[in-house]
Amino acid sequence: MTSSPMPAPTAGQPAVDADHAPKDAGLQPGSLVSGLPKAAPGETMIAIDAISKWYGEFQVLTNCTTKVAKGEVVVVCGPSGSGKSTLIKCVNALEPFQKGQITVAGTKVLDKSTNLPKLRSRVGMVFQHFELFPHLTITENLTIAQRKVLKRDGEDAKKRGLDLLARVGLGAHAHKYPGQLSGGQQQRVAIARALAMNPVVMLFDEPTSALDPEMVGEVLDVMVELAKEGMTMMVVTHEMGFARKVADRVIFMDRGEIVEDATKDEFFGSPRSERAQTFLSKILQH
Amino acid sequence: MLSNFDFSVILKSLPYLFGQGMVFTLSLTAMAAAGGVVIGTLLAMARLSGIPGVWHLAKGYVELCRSLPLVLVIFWFYFLVPYIGAYVTGSSTPIQVGAFPSALITFTAFEAAYFAEIMRAGIQSIPKGQTAAASALGMNYWQTMSNVVLPQAFRNMLPLLLTQTIVLFQDTSLVYVLSLTDFMGAASKVAQRDGRLVEMYIFAAIVYFAICFSASFLVRRLQRRVAIIR
């Protein structure tokens, strides 16, 4: 394990509740990512090539094209119903699409010969509503896919899971059930669960939208740290602070189309499209 | 009027009623319930699979069983299957199945249809996000089902599954049509042998009531304990 430079745990973090606070240490120093292949600069990790998707007659995605390079952090934003969550779910084929192609780490997502479970096991995904398995303990949540999908030995899986759990500051909660944790804690476990699979890419689908405001910070801390460690990330979020801090590029979507695909500075400095300007002025107002 | 009754007949026949009758009833209930839940779960999965042919078959089977009286199916299986067996194997004499295997197969297959509907509701009650999360972790259909969906569905539906098992427990008394000696059959035999119909049937009713009522009570208590915290 390599240790990476880490800011001290965020100062002034609000105490979640008296029961959890002493045991919840927040993000811990140490590495979240291990076994990432060395990145050749500029190598494409996700290539989304002209995809279109319909629900019956209704077109939800129109000719979307973009690329995410290895180690790049891309934030996808846009008004609700703009298709941003749908787009990100197409990347690991949780949502099928009818036209175009997506290539993840060299594997075509929509190909008949593609082993989808295998591809998905290499693509971590974090959901808006965490989706931890409520009937399993935190430890079991962290190990089940490692054991069943990657066929890792039970002890190895447990070690890897608990390492990551300690890393996100929740080592003391291993024996609990998801329902006993706060939303922010559950989401950090969900990130650890995805990381336990040694993914080459991480997808985040509005990871902080379902959280109480005081818990957003603890989840973003983990995501910022991941970005710093060089994880390739595609993040659907309204957290423009996060985008400003770590995004390399920002994609703005509206009505199923990618309206703007720009570097962070371009996007926040001088968005070209009127729709992006309107969106930004609305969400940056407060 | 009560002086004409002789309740001592109950006491004398207790070993027979429980040692044979109730043991038979409970074994049949347990085996048919276990088999029924397993087959019912597979039927529910087939019905929800969306695969043409597969789900039609599962739906057809469930609807058929739910539209036939159980006693008819018991008769039908016991009297007709030997001939079908003979036809299939090309034998010249009917293939004897035996009353107990026949009853067990009938109850299992019949109750599977009811358990299937319960498990179908259970599977559908699991949020789509759970299957999405399992898929995103690389689990295939069977891994998702066996590790994520079914354990939760089973727990959510446990009270209903047990309630259906209580119904099954009562229904097993229908094996009297095959002359099998379950609890009801045993009571009936004693009643007719000793001419004590009223005493024996009152006693049988009390026993069935006591067992089913306490079982329902326990199921309600269990219901509160198994709920998964979300």
Side-chain angles (χ1 to χ4, degrees), chain A residues 92 94 117 120-121 123 125 127 131-136 144-145 148-149 151 179-180 193-194 197, chain B residues 127-140 143 147-149 151-152 155 228-230:
Chain A
N92 61 355
L94 281 185
R120 286 171 176 155
S121 72
V123 179
M125 185 157 209
F127 297 84
E131 303 301 352
L132 294 178
F133 305 131
H135 61 301
L136 301 178
I144 188 151
K148 305 286 175 179
V149 177
K151 312 287 178 205
Q180 296 171 284
R193 176 176 72 175
M197 304 292 285
Chain B
K128 289 279 166 289
Q130 289 282 301
T131 28
S135 299
L137 285 164
M139 291 190 197
N140 60 32
Q143 288 169 333
N147 296 304
V148 177
V149 177
Q152 293 187 61
R155 271 180 76 159
I228 301 173
I229 329 163
R230 285 193 179 274

Side-chain angles (χ1 to χ4, degrees), chain A residues 113-131:
Chain A
S113 64
T114 296
N115 180 345
L116 261 187
K118 190 164 182 236
L119 174 77
R120 286 171 176 155
S121 72
R122 312 222 56 207
V123 179
M125 185 157 209
V126 176
F127 297 84
Q128 184 176 0
H129 296 286
F130 334 131
E131 303 301 352

Side-chain angles (χ1 to χ4, degrees), chain B residues 5 7 10 191 195-204:
Chain B
F5 293 137
F7 286 94
I10 296 167
R196 292 289 168 195
L197 297 172
V198 177
E199 292 89 332
M200 290 312 288
Y201 286 136
I202 288 176
F203 179 66

Side-chain angles (χ1 to χ4, degrees), chain A:
Chain A
M1 256 203 175
T2 57
S3 83
S4 58
M6 254 295 302
T10 325
Q13 221 171 26
V16 181
D17 82 46
D19 200 8
H20 293 143
K23 284 183 174 173
D24 187 347
L27 187 63
Q28 296 297 300
S31 174
L32 284 169
V33 177
S34 67
L36 264 192
K38 274 271 176 263
E43 190 185 332
T44 303
M45 207 61 185
I46 306 173
I48 299 175
D49 185 17
I51 69 161
S52 294
K53 176 181 171 65
W54 289 263
Y55 286 125
E57 292 287 293
F58 181 68
Q59 186 159 14
V60 276
L61 292 176
T62 309
N63 207 24
C64 294
T65 300
T66 190
K67 273 182 184 176
V68 181
K70 202 173 249 179
E72 201 173 21
V73 177
V74 174
V75 163
V76 185
C77 62
S80 61
S82 59
K84 51 196 190 308
S85 283
T86 310
L87 179 70
I88 203 172
K89 282 180 178 153
C90 287
V91 173
N92 61 355
L94 281 185
E95 291 277 359
F97 48 93
Q98 285 81 28
K99 261 178 76 181
Q101 184 62 273
I102 295 181
T103 312
V104 178
T107 309
K108 289 194 176 77
V109 168
L110 214 60
D111 206 88
K112 281 254 185 298
S113 64
T114 296
N115 180 345
L116 261 187
K118 190 164 182 236
L119 174 77
R120 286 171 176 155
S121 72
R122 312 222 56 207
V123 179
M125 185 157 209
V126 176
F127 297 84
Q128 184 176 0
H129 296 286
F130 334 131
E131 303 301 352
L132 294 178
F133 305 131
H135 61 301
L136 301 178
T137 63
I138 300 303
T139 307
E140 290 165 338
N141 264 283
L142 291 164
T143 54
I144 188 151
Q146 295 189 66
R147 289 190 293 116
K148 305 286 175 179
V149 177
L150 302 180
K151 312 287 178 205
R152 279 186 188 151
D153 172 74
E155 284 305 306
D156 294 350
K158 194 170 172 188
K159 188 178 176 307
R160 169 122 187 96
L162 292 182
D163 275 354
L164 282 162
L165 190 64
R167 187 69 180 76
V168 297
L170 297 171
H173 300 266
H175 60 284
K176 291 190 179 171
Y177 285 89
Q180 296 171 284
L181 302 188
S182 73
Q185 291 173 329
Q186 289 192 52
Q187 193 61 299
R188 283 185 280 154
V189 173
I191 296 173
R193 176 176 72 175
L195 290 173
M197 304 292 285
N198 299 88
V200 293
V201 177
M202 284 286 285
L203 308 173
F204 293 83
D205 184 14
E206 307 209 25
T208 57
S209 304
L211 294 176
D212 289 336
E214 77 270 20
M215 295 170 187
V216 170
E218 62 194 70
V219 172
L220 289 180
D221 283 349
V222 177
M223 292 168 62
V224 168
E225 173 59 17
L226 256 185
K228 283 184 186 158
E229 288 183 29
M231 176 58 78
T232 309
M233 292 161 69
M234 205 168 164
V235 186
V236 174
T237 186
H238 295 294
E239 294 292 334
M240 288 302 122
F242 172 80
R244 276 184 199 278
K245 205 165 173 183
V246 290
D248 295 297
R249 278 182 21 244
V250 179
I251 290 173
F252 174 75
M253 291 185 71
D254 192 20
R255 284 173 237 158
E257 285 175 275
I258 294 182
V259 178
E260 196 138 339
D261 185 346
T263 65
K264 169 175 64 180
D265 296 335
E266 280 170 4
F267 183 77
F268 287 114
S270 51
R272 277 161 292 182
S273 70
E274 201 178 308
R275 279 187 277 182
Q277 282 171 14
T278 321
F279 176 75
L280 272 179
S281 69
K282 272 184 193 157
I283 66 164
L284 294 179
Q285 252 166 20
H286 43 85

